[in-house]
Amino acid sequence: MGEHLLVRGGKILKGQVNISGSKNAILPIMAASLLSEKEIILNEVPDLEDINVMAEALKLLGAKVKREGKVLIIDGSGVSNYELPESISRRMRASNLVMGALLGRLHEARVAFPGGCAIGSRPMDLHIKGFKSLGYEISEGSGYLHGKEQHAQGKEIMLDVPSVGATENIMMAAALTPGYTIIRNAAREPEIVDLQNFINRMGARIKGAGLDTIRIDGVERLGGVEHTVIPDRIEAGTFMVAAAISCGDVWLENIVVEHLQPVISKLTEVGVEILPWSGGLRVVGKRNYRPTDIKTMPYPGFPTDMQAQMMSLLAAIPGTSVMVETIFENRFMHVQELRRMGADIKIEGRVAIIKGGHYEGANVESTDLRAGAALILAGLAARGETRISKLEHIDRGYEKIHEKFKALGADVERTSPD
Ligand code: UD1
């Protein structure tokens, strides 16, 4: 049996919380460091399981990776192995992001199909389509995706849906692919802008990240760089909901307000007060919230990675709210756990109909990363004690979450294995 998190509800969260560097920005940036033979220094790197897995992947491929506190130093001069085995890729879906970088750097890559959160089928067809368009021959077999350069040449690529991972993977490969690549219907997430900034500082010529057309003028080689990763907008959003659901007063520091707009807008709509301060944002919870309807969308829409946490709040607001999940087809696994805590939520396909009420503490299981966060949030508002198991999912993406909650006055405790 693993550890548990015990949450005793009813405490009002108050104080300041420092938001860590963005997991979803760092993972592709770490993969992109394979593009260079020179030293890469990354600042504000949180201590997270997913980042440890990516570090192991880079080492397996021949890079040297060293952590000094929040700084990660990557030396890719020895990268020569182009195969990532299942033992790594099974532990994290984002390990597939090394494929684009390996194709760019070594002109060949063999990557086992990824694992990660069980939130739908999460195919790789768009990544493959992109690599093929750039002149890499791609074959599948024995659980591996194998890519090898044929006649690599920049090309125009149209993504059927704006996939974050496919946009990043194609950007990485194209950075070192001769000629001009254009990605149309690209994902516009802030993490893609951070990746562009990082690769450009290494000497690449990429323009347009943050918009739906990205243009990449391939270069021959890339150099070293020091880069500070953007703050984690999903961690920030999670603490904003924590402030709201506990009727608290939480001051967030180290955030980019613009990245939080979709979450700010929905929280404001339900009646949460959000005020600017010199260090970031102050979130003041109220006692009378209004229900609302939310649809997850690619950025700048409401993020699917905040859907579960927001649902925890909606299920505590009197009246009927509706949540539509448009990005992943199986991302309502938290619902059955929230129901154990007394939530009244019905699911019809990709739509959840939420009738707000009260939570009671219960024994629940964290089914994936954001679902785990949602359970902690519900626990903060619940009567009695909530006992959350399978913390390994939460540890993949939240740095010292129980310590951060504790510092805000929450009654949370992490128990040692039974
Ligand atoms: C990234 C994030 C994840 C977030 C998601 C959507 C990282 C490490 N993970 O995941 O936290 O929830 O963006 O914001 O950054 N799709 C295809 N074919 C493909 C690729 C994707 O059909 O080849 C579909 C997926 O099934 C899904 C949608 O596109 O329905 C979005 O997926 P994508 O944006 O690729 O998510 P990830 O990059 O895996």
Side-chain angles (χ1 to χ4, degrees):
M1 290 285 277
E3 289 176 291
H4 289 96
L5 197 68
L6 296 180
V7 186
R8 291 177 204 96
K11 292 276 189 272
I12 293 170
L13 266 53
K14 279 197 157 84
Q16 206 164 309
V17 61
N18 191 276
I19 300 305
S20 301
S22 160
K23 168 180 89 76
N24 285 354
I26 294 162
L27 293 173
I29 284 174
M30 286 175 75
S33 65
L34 293 168
L35 291 167
S36 169
E37 292 170 29
K38 297 281 170 22
E39 188 176 77
I40 308 290
I41 300 174
L42 301 177
N43 299 317
E44 290 299 324
V45 180
D47 186 8
L48 294 176
E49 191 46 31
D50 270 7
I51 289 169
N52 295 338
V53 174
M54 185 59 95
E56 275 181 53
L58 300 187
K59 283 185 198 162
L60 244 152
L61 298 168
K64 289 195 192 110
V65 185
K66 198 168 65 178
R67 184 187 263 282
E68 289 173 6
K70 288 195 205 174
V71 180
L72 206 63
I73 302 155
I74 302 169
D75 171 0
S77 56
V79 171
S80 56
N81 177 15
Y82 59 77
E83 178 166 325
L84 197 70
E86 199 201 327
S87 55
I88 290 279
S89 64
R90 196 172 0 102
R91 291 167 60 192
M92 182 177 64
R93 175 173 165 86
S95 54
N96 67 6
L97 291 171
V98 302
M99 183 110 188
L102 287 173
L103 288 177
R105 168 86 181 274
L106 302 176
H107 316 290
E108 185 158 9
R110 207 170 116 81
V111 175
F113 280 109
C117 278
I119 51 173
S121 61
R122 305 185 87 170
M124 279 191 69
D125 56 312
L126 299 173
H127 303 235
I128 295 169
K129 174 177 158 179
F131 296 144
K132 281 186 175 163
S133 305
L134 293 179
Y136 298 95
E137 192 182 85
I138 305 286
S139 56
E140 294 172 47
S142 320
Y144 278 83
L145 200 59
H146 188 191
K148 199 168 169 30
E149 181 180 340
Q150 290 303 101
H151 306 286
Q153 178 64 39
K155 223 14 198 318
E156 184 161 333
I157 298 159
M158 171 81 190
L159 296 181
D160 305 359
V161 293
S163 154
V164 174
T167 303
E168 293 169 339
N169 238 337
I170 297 166
M171 262 170 81
M172 288 188 251
L176 288 182
T177 297
Y180 206 60
T181 297
I182 300 177
I183 310 174
R184 295 205 188 274
N185 199 24
R188 298 168 54 189
E189 271 66 4
E191 292 75 21
I192 292 167
V193 179
D194 207 28
L195 179 65
Q196 167 183 283
N197 292 342
F198 170 75
I199 310 180
N200 278 350
R201 284 208 193 120
M202 294 199 289
R205 289 200 284 261
I206 310 179
K207 272 195 259 174
L211 304 171
D212 60 9
T213 303
I214 300 179
R215 294 164 204 274
I216 305 143
D217 189 5
V219 297
E220 254 178 51
R221 62 176 52 82
L222 295 170
V225 70
E226 177 167 351
H227 181 81
T228 301
V229 188
I230 56 168
D232 197 311
R233 63 194 168 98
I234 306 301
E235 188 198 11
T238 303
F239 279 102
M240 292 174 84
V241 175
I245 206 167
S246 72
C247 304
D249 185 355
V250 172
W251 302 59
L252 299 152
E253 65 170 358
N254 189 35
I255 55 170
V256 178
V257 174
E258 191 195 329
H259 298 171
L260 289 163
Q261 275 316 333
V263 175
I264 292 172
S265 141
K266 280 296 163 184
L267 285 175
T268 307
E269 211 173 288
V270 301
V272 180
E273 194 178 358
I274 299 174
L275 307 159
W277 68 286
S278 57
L281 284 178
R282 177 181 172 197
V283 185
V284 186
K286 301 279 164 197
R287 298 214 172 257
N288 297 314
Y289 294 133
R290 297 173 289 278
T292 191
D293 297 346
I294 300 179
K295 202 182 220 183
T296 63
M297 295 292 276
Y299 189 85
F302 190 87
T304 173
D305 285 352
M306 277 300 297
Q307 182 254 104
Q309 301 92 310
M310 196 69 187
M311 198 185 292
S312 289
L313 176 63
L314 297 180
I317 299 177
T320 303
S321 294
V322 176
M323 177 71 81
V324 185
E325 171 59 57
T326 73
I327 310 291
F328 293 111
E329 77 272 23
N330 186 22
R331 206 176 195 179
F332 281 146
M333 286 176 305
H334 46 283
V335 168
Q336 75 178 45
E337 302 302 307
L338 290 175
R339 280 190 194 133
R340 280 183 215 279
M341 299 179 68
D344 181 351
I345 305 170
K346 285 192 184 61
I347 300 174
E348 302 262 354
R350 292 183 173 218
V351 180
I353 299 149
I354 305 147
K355 291 205 173 112
H358 296 287
Y359 288 117
E360 301 283 346
N363 285 343
V364 288
E365 198 176 285
S366 159
T367 47
D368 68 58
L369 168 57
R370 307 303 172 186
L375 296 175
I376 301 177
L377 296 171
L380 294 174
R383 271 192 293 257
E385 187 175 276
T386 301
R387 188 182 167 90
I388 305 168
S389 61
K390 299 239 167 107
L391 301 187
E392 61 273 18
H393 290 294
I394 302 176
D395 292 339
R396 284 187 34 225
Y398 287 95
E399 188 181 36
K400 301 191 182 81
I401 193 167
H402 68 291
E403 286 175 27
K404 287 190 179 182
F405 273 123
K406 226 179 187 154
L408 291 172
D411 187 349
V412 292
E413 195 184 328
R414 204 169 162 132
T415 63
S416 322
D418 303 329

